[in-house]
Amino acid sequence: MSFSFAPLLTRMQELRDLGGAIGLLTWDQETYLPAKADEARGAQLSTLQGLYHERLTATALGDLLAAAAAQRDLPADQRAMARVLAWERGRAVNVPGDLVRAIAEAQSQGLTAWRAAREAKDFRLFQPALQRLLELRRQQADAIGHSGQRYDALLEGYEPGMRVERLRPVLESLSRRLVPIIRAVSEACARKGPWPLAGKTFDVEKQWRFTLRLLKDMGFDLDAGRQDKSIHPFTGGTHPRDVRLTTRLEAENPFPALFGTIHEGGHGLYEQGFSEEHFRTPLAAAPSMGLHESQSRLWENIVGRSRPFWRHYFPLLQAQMPESLQGLTTEQFHVAVNWVEPSLIRVEADEVTYNQHIALRFELELLLIGGQLPLADLPAEWNARMESLLGVRPPDDVKGVLQDIHWAWGELGYFPTYALGNLYSAQLWAAARPAVQPELERGNLLALREWLRQKIHREGYRYPAEELVQRVCGRGLTDDDFIRYLTAKYSELYGVTL
Ligand code: ZN
């Protein structure tokens, strides 16, 4: 019997279109949705997600995928498309419908309890909901399947192919090597205090205009995407030709807008850079959240907090906002964007201390999913580990164990992707630097976009994340390049020996 890829392709395209519609409704929910439409939107999204799940798990799709897998002479891209979709379908099919519904219900209860606990600054109000979520996640991990390590099944939802036994030694090494760097750099930084922008205000309209200029200079196509405002910046959209970024404006501090835009711009360039022949197929996607995050971190931290970048952009920003930046030198501004200080809140952490926040969460998640840490002890365990990793102790649960929304949803396995993003970003930079650095010195950001497009973006989901990094950098996951990057940058910037 002859095989035709066409019916399978049609189903792939339908799934991507449904996903795009879900993406648009979600983006709208976070940006422009009128408050009273909240409930209606929830229903619309849940209907569409139900349809998506139905089509994904349909027996007919399973048969088409099995037939494709049996073909020996399928072109490589078609084989990869079928493999990626079969993997996604496999995870969905194995989890029974009543477990999916139970998780959704527990998530909504978790969110409500988490909000109440934050209000009261008391973890105990969240504890029963978290207990329930953990039980369901264990069931889910068992349903998906694993080889003895439940966390692997959850981690793979965000980082396909990654395993605890691969990840853990790298993150442990990273955490260990960070301790002396954090101590030396934060002490040197404190001696420079106070923070050079303290007490200033920044016109939000001017901030907004500057972020749009940055996006254009990075090569983000504003005819194939847009930027709006939201409380929590994110990248969404419906298609590589419709990529939607958001940013956040604050009058007292221009950094959420500037670095939020550069960060989301990095994600956005990835989405816009997928190959046209992969559009509406499973290959027009990043192979992992960690690799996606490598793009945003590379732009935000390695480029956006570099001296060449601000040598070029600070005079322009200063000319836009003389009332805020008069009298400040490029060097002072460069110090301000690289302020290093151990702090309690992950999302406000600098690039030197950030990964310790991830180390803390990763280790706790392993204990939680393994049932090795009684939930009642979680806040105290959090605080003790925070003190040993960063030398700061949360005064209450809101600034400690209740700070992130991830566990409120029972989302476990996601945090490591942030650290992977940092590590991969430094590996990619080490590979790109010889060709790209001279262009950056000239204020040309397009050379980096082009390099990433050729090496990473246009490949889409052809290869698993670490395999792609291996191909491009000659080496799989390592903390060496990140440590080298930090050491070189901060020993020079703060005149310390690292
Ligand atoms: Zn990101």
Side-chain angles (χ1 to χ4, degrees), residues 123-403:
F123 171 77
R124 283 173 300 180
L125 298 181
F126 173 52
Q127 189 181 319
L130 181 58
Q131 188 72 56
R132 170 83 179 136
L133 281 162
L134 285 173
E135 278 156 21
L136 293 170
R137 286 303 184 199
R138 288 185 198 117
Q139 290 175 32
Q140 184 190 16
D142 291 344
I144 291 168
H146 53 82
S147 49
Q149 176 64 267
R150 277 178 171 145
Y151 194 81
D152 281 342
L154 303 177
L155 177 64
E156 271 223 294
Y158 313 107
E159 201 65 27
M162 188 49 73
R163 297 278 182 281
V164 171
E165 64 170 6
R166 170 88 186 96
L167 180 61
R168 195 172 192 172
V170 180
L171 292 190
E172 279 176 357
S173 159
L174 174 64
S175 180
R176 215 170 29 244
R177 295 166 87 179
L178 281 174
V179 171
I181 300 177
I182 290 171
R183 194 183 309 118
V185 174
S186 61
E187 281 171 15
C189 189
R191 286 197 291 275
K192 291 215 181 218
W195 188 55
L197 301 188
K200 299 182 186 296
T201 58
F202 302 85
D203 185 292
V204 289
E205 260 317 300
K206 290 177 178 176
Q207 289 188 43
W208 174 254
R209 282 202 297 276
F210 204 79
T211 62
L212 288 175
R213 186 211 162 121
L214 287 174
L215 283 178
K216 251 176 67 204
D217 290 356
M218 289 167 70
F220 182 79
D221 183 355
L222 284 159
D223 291 324
R226 50 181 293 129
Q227 179 178 256
D228 294 86
K229 294 157 204 162
S230 74
I231 298 165
H232 306 288
F234 67 99
T235 297
T238 73
H239 186 277
R241 294 280 186 267
D242 178 21
V243 178
R244 301 181 183 224
L245 319 176
T246 68
T247 196
R248 185 163 64 96
L249 301 166
E250 270 182 30
E252 306 74 38
N253 183 353
F255 292 169
L258 293 174
F259 293 105
T261 289
I262 300 172
H263 180 102
E264 301 308 331
H267 283 305
L269 289 179
Y270 197 173
E271 293 286 321
Q272 287 187 341
F274 297 132
S275 294
E276 207 158 329
E277 76 247 36
H278 295 159
F279 286 2
R280 296 174 79 218
T281 81
L283 291 194
S288 83
M289 301 300 292
L291 199 64
H292 221 307
E293 195 66 7
S294 77
Q295 301 302 294
S296 53
R297 301 282 170 150
L298 176 46
W299 283 100
E300 178 195 353
N301 289 334
I302 299 181
V303 173
R305 296 182 200 272
S306 72
R307 189 176 273 116
F309 185 88
W310 287 110
R311 218 178 260 149
H312 180 75
Y313 281 105
F314 183 66
L316 299 171
L317 186 65
Q318 196 174 34
Q320 293 279 315
M321 309 177 169
E323 68 284 358
S324 312
L325 295 172
Q326 213 163 30
L328 223 60
T329 63
T330 300
E331 200 49 37
Q332 287 170 317
F333 193 79
H334 185 231
V335 165
V337 307
N338 288 296
W339 204 251
V340 175
E341 189 174 21
S343 61
L344 295 169
I345 307 294
R346 176 185 60 87
V347 297
E348 294 166 6
D350 55 80
E351 63 176 338
V352 182
T353 57
Y354 187 91
N355 290 299
Q356 296 296 48
H357 293 268
I358 302 305
L360 168 87
R361 287 156 177 79
F362 174 58
E363 290 298 329
L364 287 176
E365 286 191 343
L366 285 172
L367 293 174
L368 289 175
I369 210 71
Q372 293 145 292
L373 175 65
L375 269 190
D377 298 341
L378 178 59
E381 191 63 31
W382 177 290
N383 295 349
R385 283 169 183 258
M386 194 72 191
E387 191 151 20
S388 92
L389 282 171
L390 284 168
V392 288
R393 197 177 180 89
D396 58 53
D397 292 343
V398 175
K399 292 200 166 67
V401 68
L402 292 174
Q403 67 181 268

Side-chain angles (χ1 to χ4, degrees), residues 83-94:
R83 187 193 67 229
V84 171
L85 186 57
W87 181 85
E88 185 192 348
R89 184 175 184 277
R91 284 180 64 92
V93 177
N94 288 336

